[in-house]
Amino acid sequence: MESNLITEDKQKNKLEKAFEILKTMASKPSGLIGLTIVLFHVILALISPYIAPYDYKAISPNTMLLAPSAEHWFGTDSLGRDVFTRTILGGRTALTVTFFGSLIALLWGGLLGIFCGLVGGKIDDVVMRVVDAFLSIPWILAMLLIVSLLGTSTEVLIPALGFFYGKGIVRVARAATHDVIAKDFIVSARARGHSNMSIIWNEIIPNVRDAILVEGAMRWSWMLLGFSSLSFLGFGVSPPTPDWGLMISNARGLMSFAYWSVIAPIVGLSSLIIGINLTADAFAKALGIDRSTKAPV
Amino acid sequence: MSEIIESVKNLSIGFNSQKGKQISILRNVSTNIKKGETVGIVGESGSGKSTLALAMMGYIKQGLFPLKGECLFKSEDLLKMSSRQLEKIRGRKIAMIPQNAGQALTPNLKIGYQIDEALRLHTDLNKTERDKKISELLNKVRLPSPETMAFRYPHELSGGQQQRVAVAMALAGKPDLLLLDEPTTGLDVTTQAHVLELLRFIAKDTGTSMIYVSHDLGAIAQVSDRIVVMYAGEIVLEGPARKILKEPIHPYTYGLLKSIPKLSLAGLPASMPGSQPQPGSINEGCSFYDRCNLATDHCKKNTPDLEHIKELNTNVRCFNHNELINQNNNLQTSITKKSNNSEAIEVLKLKDVSISYAKQKFFDQLLNKISDQNPTVKDINIDIKKGETIALVGESGSGKSTILKSIAGLLKTKDGQIKFENDRILSSNLKMRNPNDLRAIQLIFQNPDESLNPNHTVEQILSQPLKLYFNLSGEELKKNIIDLLKKVRLGEFYMSRYPRQLSGGEKQRVAVARAFAAKPDIILCDEVTSALDVSVQAAVLNLLQQLKEDLGTTYVFVSHDLAVVRAISDRVAVLYQGRLCEIGPSQNVYKFPSHPYTEVLLGAVLEPDPDIKPKLVAEDIVEEKPPEKGCSFQGRCPRKIGDICNLEVPPWQIGENGNAIRCHINIDELASLQQ
Ligand SMILES: Nc1ncnc2c1ncn2[C@@H]1O[C@H](COP(=O)(O)OP(=O)(O)OP(=O)(O)O)[C@@H](O)[C@H]1O
Ligand code: SF4
Ligand code: SF4
Ligand SMILES: [Mg+2]
């Protein structure tokens, strides 16, 4: 009923549309909180190299395990490095790796899913089996294998994470494509004689894009958790790169007397995951998509 | 006067808009339901009929809330009851049958178990009593072999049988009031007629009061004692069914009745201009003012009240209703359409066309052969002349859409040929057809919600064929789009709208415009009006006819509605299970002698006239597959003459008035049988 009341006649350009979506997302408290958190983290990640008060890798035996003070806001860790510096730079690492990882997941997952949805039949069956088989290997073990063969540089981690987190996107993209190709407007375009490429580009992509993007946003928060667990286990980025998972893992044994070195990365990680989750939810609502995937936290 | 069981008093229901304004979708509705009475509530989509019906069982949809008024069931206000109290009433005192009963049944539970569940919930019977009651109920709704029915699953039943089960479940608690929301919409004509007949019988037999909500005046006419007509959230006319249908004294009801195509009339029904105002957009004056041809300046400023007319026993909301009293013989008129010249050349020929959905076997696939002895569609021979409208009629599953799809190249034919212009064979592979042939044959679909890309504006939708076929761009493209919109009577400002911002009728106009953008020779119309309200349907039919007269287009028009077909078509082909039964000029198909299947279809048509009752001659069973041998209609034929029908495909016979009939009964004998 409500949608019938829309009477605006002006065609909106893309920018205005994006702005409209943002506005809708921010109109609910949860969306606003999510957006604020994500924005805060992104800004911090962008400016962190310039505002970091210390060198993140400067080891100093004199300043080991200092409690928070005016000089070291979050204290120092067991090697005497400034925890505040390492926390804000750790956010930069996490965001960069998982952002590009998600992009890769979106790309291969989305494209393969759309492809499978389009061709259907035997090819679809076989591809989905292969994807399932590959991904039924516990991903942590697989990551261990990859990392031990290729090293722990971000050039390895990003595509590897992207690969493992694309599976869910394949499924969503495939289902969405399946729904769309049964619609009469596709039949109508086929009957007119449009080429397959033109049908995919004009009729299918615009109708599956939203569902795939929402799934991608969701996968991003899953990937953050996965990436940090990897680092925590020692298969992620290697020291001395500032990273939340590593920081938590290093400081774990010192919890009882140097709690500060572990609190900051935990707060950073969980707030970012929650923030992305809330944002993805609001994004889905603003686009009118009913999401069934549950959040990781 | 019999006892009133439910009474609605000054009920208004509304919602808060995004801007925080209170908008009512039901305004000041009052009505009474008496014991044993069936009340039909009729109105276009969005008129508030379902909201009213749901409120009558104390249910308000999420997002809506009552603004004022009450719903008194046996003098208790349902809208003030707690959900605990309502639970006691729903199912036991008031039961409801939804539109899609098949979906309301749990798929993995047997029918008997589900009815037992309802009995346990709504009665205090013990196990043996319940078992007896189950077969009693299944008997009452006249399901075939009720003893075995209880052990079946819902998917093993046809749509009509599922609807009967829903009725049985609703009757389990012996309700005083039965609410039916579009209970037969989406069912086949014959099934629909049978279900309505059952409901009428049950109302008589059990004395249950019924509220029957529908947009279909034909169905309402069959069951109702009294009719309530809703428009834009208000009651505009209310009274005894016969009076409302024969002497409608409100301009809206009058127009509505005139826009329904009737079997007895050739030619198109008159259409009512405009559409229902959106909720919240009515400020002052009569809500029907924009579309009313009796409107005066007085109506613009003043809002009419519901006025009781004693002589007619009706309530009417119109200042000028006096002008309509005794006007009503006018209801039986229609717009005559120009008939095409019969000497015209043939543009499209279907020759021995068979189509199969069967999966190809491996070897056949290699040889590119389809081996199906019993294909879905078989031996179709139709020659279509330039400029004519030929209709394909039949129940769901009769292969109408299948034939259209293969003409459009979307489905491969198994055997036979489709020839276009000068006997050129069209490839059954879409990719092999030349672009000009693709342009020349366009499709319009049943449901405009599905056939328009929701992510495209009207401009984008219409530019697709123009770009594809004529390579237009820039100013020229825009000019063409505006011309097309003008052709389908839509303004230029619709260009930037998305489908969701259009009404059903407007969407279908855009779909029509998209088909005409290709400057086609032939347009294939698949149930193009069945998703539309009658007044909108009449407008779309008139539009199609007008465009055809202007541009000389040929239509292949698929429909299950014989009255619509009568209105628009020049020639009719009747299909059963993918086989032709009868074909001929449309005025003749509606006269006897007819093929027995045509006779069944004609008998099941629901006319908005309480004096014309459907003639139910055949069972409303649904057949899964066409028979392997003999006449396609043998399974249901009420005139079957014996083994010959099972064994031999009947021959074509030409009747004296020119229609060809495929039946073993001699055509003269058929004529005398059907007198
Ligand atoms: N894709 C398909 N695969 C297998 N069988 C199909 C398919 N589409 C339709 N059929 C079957 O072919 C028969 C004819 O279907 P078709 O859609 O042509 O009927 P119709 O006359 O258009 O019916 P309706 O009035 O319901 O639209 C039906 O028995 C149907 O179940
Ligand atoms: S009150 Fe006026 S505008 Fe309204 S229905 Fe009657 S004549 Fe038409
Ligand atoms: S051939 Fe036999 S079964 Fe077929 S329509 Fe005629 S009488 Fe009925
Ligand atoms: Mg169909």
Side-chain angles (χ1 to χ4, degrees):
Chain A
M1 199 59 77
E2 201 105 0
S3 69
N4 289 344
L5 297 174
I6 305 170
T7 44
E8 83 268 49
D9 284 330
K10 195 163 44 78
Q11 186 176 357
K12 294 201 188 79
N13 63 34
K14 292 230 162 71
L15 214 70
E16 272 177 89
K17 248 196 225 158
F19 185 69
E20 189 94 323
I21 290 173
L22 272 180
K23 233 172 72 185
T24 323
M25 286 166 69
S27 67
K28 294 249 164 60
S30 59
L32 189 62
I33 294 171
L35 276 173
T36 315
I37 296 177
V38 173
L39 200 68
F40 172 77
H41 274 283
V42 169
I43 291 175
L44 203 59
L46 288 175
I47 61 171
S48 54
Y50 312 105
I51 61 161
Y54 295 90
D55 181 0
Y56 68 86
K57 53 183 187 299
I59 299 172
S60 134
N62 305 332
T63 56
M64 266 165 44
L65 294 174
L66 294 181
S69 65
E71 286 95 73
H72 297 282
W73 291 357
F74 292 176
T76 60
D77 67 6
S78 55
L79 297 176
R81 297 174 297 195
D82 181 45
V83 175
F84 176 69
T85 302
R86 291 185 62 80
T87 306
I88 58 175
L89 286 169
R92 189 180 165 90
T93 312
L95 272 174
T96 320
V97 170
T98 56
F99 178 76
F100 288 105
S102 305
L103 225 53
I104 289 177
L106 263 182
L107 219 60
W108 87 263
L111 288 179
L112 187 65
I114 292 174
F115 172 78
C116 285
L118 279 178
V119 298
K122 292 236 168 60
I123 299 178
D124 173 33
D125 278 349
V126 171
V127 174
M128 288 315 287
R129 289 274 162 74
V130 172
V131 170
D132 279 344
F134 250 109
L135 295 165
S136 60
I137 312 167
W139 70 276
I140 290 260
L141 289 184
M143 281 305 277
L144 172 65
L145 192 72
I146 292 170
V147 167
S148 54
L149 284 177
L150 302 172
T152 58
S153 64
T154 42
E155 288 84 357
V156 172
L157 282 173
I158 290 175
L161 282 168
F163 176 70
F164 281 104
Y165 282 86
K167 173 183 164 181
I169 299 175
V170 178
R171 294 215 162 274
V172 169
R174 178 171 169 269
T177 310
H178 231 90
D179 285 350
V180 173
I181 56 168
K183 292 271 163 69
D184 283 342
F185 61 84
I186 305 282
V187 182
S188 166
R190 283 212 295 137
R192 275 199 303 274
H194 285 282
S195 69
N196 286 346
M197 266 333 276
S198 133
I199 292 177
I200 293 173
W201 194 248
N202 290 319
E203 312 283 348
I204 295 175
I205 305 256
N207 285 298
V208 298
R209 185 190 51 206
D210 292 353
I212 295 177
L213 280 181
V214 166
E215 188 62 26
M218 224 47 242
R219 292 289 143 187
W220 187 7
S221 67
W222 284 87
M223 194 187 286
L224 257 170
L225 196 65
F227 169 65
S228 302
S229 323
L230 269 183
S231 305
F232 180 83
L233 295 174
F235 308 136
V237 289
S238 41
T241 316
D243 176 80
W244 291 338
L246 267 177
M247 289 168 75
I248 298 170
S249 146
N250 289 343
R252 192 177 40 163
L254 317 167
M255 279 267 281
S256 50
F257 56 94
Y259 60 89
W260 52 85
S261 52
V262 74
I263 283 186
I266 287 182
V267 169
L269 180 61
S270 31
S271 69
L272 184 52
I273 290 178
I274 292 170
I276 292 180
N277 247 309
L278 292 176
T279 309
D281 261 336
F283 186 47
K285 287 225 182 75
L287 294 172
I289 290 172
D290 189 20
R291 243 178 14 80
S292 45
T293 340
K294 285 283 163 294
V297 280
Chain B
M1 263 282 147
S2 61
E3 171 197 358
I4 288 172
I5 66 165
E6 175 147 8
S7 133
V8 179
K9 289 199 175 128
N10 301 323
L11 182 65
S12 292
I13 291 179
F15 63 93
N16 285 327
S17 75
Q18 275 171 336
K19 298 204 179 77
K21 239 175 53 187
Q22 213 169 60
I23 290 174
S24 36
I25 57 171
L26 219 54
R27 293 179 292 149
N28 240 331
V29 172
S30 303
T31 189
N32 294 321
I33 313 294
K34 295 198 198 87
K35 192 163 169 38
E37 178 188 49
T38 300
V39 178
I41 302 179
V42 67
E44 295 179 44
S45 69
S47 60
K49 53 187 189 303
S50 294
T51 309
L52 172 60
L54 290 174
M56 287 171 114
M57 65 185 295
Y59 181 79
I60 309 271
K61 258 188 270 174
Q62 206 170 16
L64 298 180
F65 46 86
L67 302 172
K68 73 175 179 25
E70 44 195 11
C71 280
L72 301 176
F73 180 73
K74 300 192 166 161
S75 64
E76 276 181 277
D77 190 355
L78 293 173
L79 301 178
K80 295 218 171 61
M81 281 188 191
S82 67
S83 48
R84 177 81 55 78
Q85 283 169 304
L86 279 171
E87 257 168 44
K88 286 215 184 92
I89 289 186
R90 288 193 197 140
R92 283 188 181 219
K93 302 267 167 60
I94 307 178
M96 161 125 189
I97 297 173
Q99 171 166 353
N100 206 330
Q103 277 170 16
L105 296 171
T106 319
N108 55 354
L109 293 177
K110 290 187 181 135
I111 298 301
Y113 183 83
Q114 298 195 43
I115 298 178
D116 193 43
E117 187 84 27
L119 284 170
R120 241 179 320 173
L121 207 63
H122 302 313
T123 66
D124 311 311
L125 304 175
N126 63 33
K127 179 85 183 95
T128 41
E129 284 169 330
R130 286 205 308 271
D131 282 344
K132 219 178 100 217
K133 189 83 188 169
I134 291 173
S135 59
E136 211 179 289
L137 283 169
L138 288 172
N139 253 315
K140 182 163 268 166
V141 295
R142 292 196 230 137
L143 278 164
S145 55
E147 312 77 44
T148 57
M149 217 27 112
F151 301 102
R152 296 229 212 147
Y153 291 97
H155 70 88
E156 296 173 315
L157 271 57
S158 72
Q161 289 172 337
Q162 288 176 348
Q163 200 61 280
R164 281 164 197 260
V165 172
V167 174
M169 280 171 74
L171 291 176
K174 278 203 168 190
D176 299 316
L177 181 62
L178 198 54
L179 265 163
L180 304 112
D181 195 354
E182 303 268 8
T184 62
T185 308
L187 298 178
D188 264 325
V189 271
T190 50
T191 317
Q192 185 178 10
H194 277 273
V195 171
L196 287 173
E197 206 262 336
L198 171 73
L199 291 174
R200 213 170 40 223
F201 163 78
I202 282 176
K204 283 239 165 53
D205 188 48
T206 60
T208 314
S209 308
M210 292 192 190
I211 297 172
Y212 190 100
V213 180
S214 180
H215 71 283
D216 181 355
L217 271 166
I220 293 258
Q222 300 309 318
V223 289
S224 311
D225 304 313
R226 205 153 55 81
I227 293 178
V228 172
V229 183
M230 308 273 305
Y231 186 77
E234 285 176 322
I235 293 180
V236 292
L237 185 65
E238 174 179 16
R242 183 170 300 273
K243 284 268 180 307
I244 303 287
L245 294 167
K246 298 240 169 181
E247 304 168 50
I249 56 165
H250 190 282
Y252 171 66
T253 317
Y254 184 74
L256 203 59
L257 279 162
K258 280 197 77 151
S259 61
I260 300 175
K262 290 162 201 80
L263 263 193
S264 50
L265 279 178
L268 292 160
S271 69
M272 240 190 305
S275 60
Q276 199 174 221
Q278 290 297 330
S281 66
I282 309 147
N283 297 319
E284 56 171 9
C286 173
S287 55
F288 191 57
Y289 176 79
D290 288 340
R291 301 173 74 183
C292 184
N293 49 16
L294 294 180
T296 59
D297 278 348
H298 184 68
C299 314
K300 189 173 184 176
K301 300 270 157 49
N302 303 283
T303 312
D305 287 324
L306 204 58
E307 191 182 328
H308 185 68
I309 315 286
K310 215 167 184 179
E311 312 83 77
L312 296 172
N313 193 17
T314 52
N315 298 327
V316 59
R317 192 186 294 277
C318 173
F319 295 120
N320 304 330
H321 63 263
N322 277 328
E323 293 187 33
L324 283 172
I325 294 179
N326 299 327
Q327 277 284 307
N328 299 295
N329 29 13
N330 275 351
L331 276 174
Q332 296 290 326
T333 56
S334 63
I335 306 164
T336 41
K337 56 177 199 278
K338 250 193 261 163
S339 65
N340 66 310
N341 60 351
S342 48
E343 264 125 89
I345 44 161
E346 281 153 0
V347 278
L348 190 75
K349 284 187 189 171
L350 304 187
K351 196 160 182 323
D352 300 324
V353 170
S354 297
I355 307 158
S356 168
Y357 282 109
K359 279 238 168 70
Q360 281 170 288
K361 293 207 190 77
F362 181 66
F363 277 111
D364 297 332
Q365 215 164 3
L366 283 183
L367 300 168
N368 203 7
K369 211 175 71 186
I370 302 170
S371 69
D372 180 4
Q373 295 311 308
N374 197 19
T376 307
V377 167
K378 194 174 174 186
D379 293 341
I380 303 294
N381 282 295
I382 305 175
D383 295 344
I384 298 164
K385 296 196 194 77
K386 192 168 170 49
E388 83 170 332
T389 300
I390 182 156
L392 304 180
V393 190
E395 287 165 294
S396 167
S398 58
K400 311 178 296 277
S401 306
T402 305
I403 294 174
L404 282 197
K405 280 193 187 138
S406 69
I407 297 177
L410 292 163
L411 263 179
K412 285 207 172 76
T413 49
K414 172 181 169 291
D415 290 315
Q417 288 146 358
I418 297 171
K419 293 179 183 172
F420 179 59
E421 272 177 350
N422 311 324
D423 280 353
R424 203 155 40 77
I425 296 176
L426 283 180
S427 165
S428 75
N429 184 346
L430 192 72
K431 299 274 173 215
M432 306 285 286
R433 291 194 180 181
N434 76 45
N436 195 45
D437 289 344
L438 290 173
R439 178 199 57 77
I441 302 178
Q442 294 288 313
L443 260 165
I444 307 175
F445 294 85
Q446 169 169 2
N447 191 344
D449 284 326
E450 295 240 326
S451 69
L452 304 179
N453 189 329
N455 272 304
H456 286 175
T457 59
V458 170
E459 181 177 5
Q460 286 170 307
I461 290 168
L462 294 182
S463 65
Q464 282 182 330
L466 293 172
K467 282 184 189 158
L468 181 71
Y469 299 128
F470 308 112
N471 253 323
L472 297 183
S473 61
E475 276 307 304
E476 208 183 344
L477 178 66
K478 193 157 177 193
K479 198 181 136 289
N480 270 276
I481 293 173
I482 295 170
D483 279 352
L484 280 169
L485 285 174
K486 211 179 277 160
K487 262 193 201 135
V488 295
R489 324 254 142 76
L490 294 174
E492 195 181 323
F493 59 92
Y494 280 96
M495 274 172 64
S496 57
R497 296 252 183 119
Y498 286 92
R500 63 171 179 281
Q501 297 167 328
L502 304 176
S503 73
E506 287 167 340
K507 275 183 236 174
Q508 200 58 298
R509 277 163 204 265
V510 173
V512 170
R514 178 175 62 186
F516 274 99
K519 303 204 168 67
D521 301 318
I522 301 174
I523 296 189
L524 312 171
C525 307
D526 194 353
E527 302 268 13
V528 289
T529 60
S530 55
L532 306 174
D533 278 316
V534 276
S535 69
V536 185
Q537 163 173 292
V540 171
L541 289 176
N542 277 298
L543 174 71
L544 285 171
Q545 180 64 26
Q546 194 59 52
L547 287 169
K548 171 187 147 159
E549 283 171 15
D550 294 348
L551 305 168
T553 322
T554 308
Y555 291 137
V556 183
F557 194 96
V558 156
S559 178
H560 67 279
D561 187 333
L562 285 167
V564 168
V565 162
R566 167 99 219 230
I568 188 119
S569 66
D570 304 313
R571 222 145 50 95
V572 178
V574 183
L575 285 158
Y576 186 76
Q577 291 283 358
R579 278 85 176 135
L580 276 177
C581 297
E582 178 169 355
I583 183 166
S586 65
Q587 70 267 25
N588 296 340
V589 168
Y590 292 83
K591 276 191 220 135
F592 293 131
S594 295
H595 187 278
Y597 178 55
T598 317
E599 190 187 353
V600 168
L601 282 180
L602 285 171
V605 170
L606 304 172
E607 300 235 37
D609 185 334
D611 295 329
I612 307 178
K613 294 277 177 235
K615 294 185 258 318
L616 305 173
V617 278
E619 291 292 317
D620 62 329
I621 44 172
V622 176
E623 293 187 280
E624 295 275 308
K625 266 205 315 244
E628 309 227 339
K629 282 189 293 204
C631 171
S632 61
F633 193 46
Q634 56 180 273
R636 284 172 66 191
C637 182
R639 300 201 181 276
K640 190 169 160 184
I641 49 174
D643 275 348
I644 187 167
C645 299
N646 297 347
L647 298 172
E648 276 174 47
V649 176
W652 283 104
Q653 307 181 64
I654 311 283
E656 56 191 286
N657 45 19
N659 50 338
I661 292 172
R662 203 183 200 181
C663 177
H664 284 302
I665 304 177
N666 181 286
I667 199 150
D668 300 323
E669 205 183 322
L670 205 53
S672 66
L673 281 171
Q674 287 170 339
Q675 275 324 307

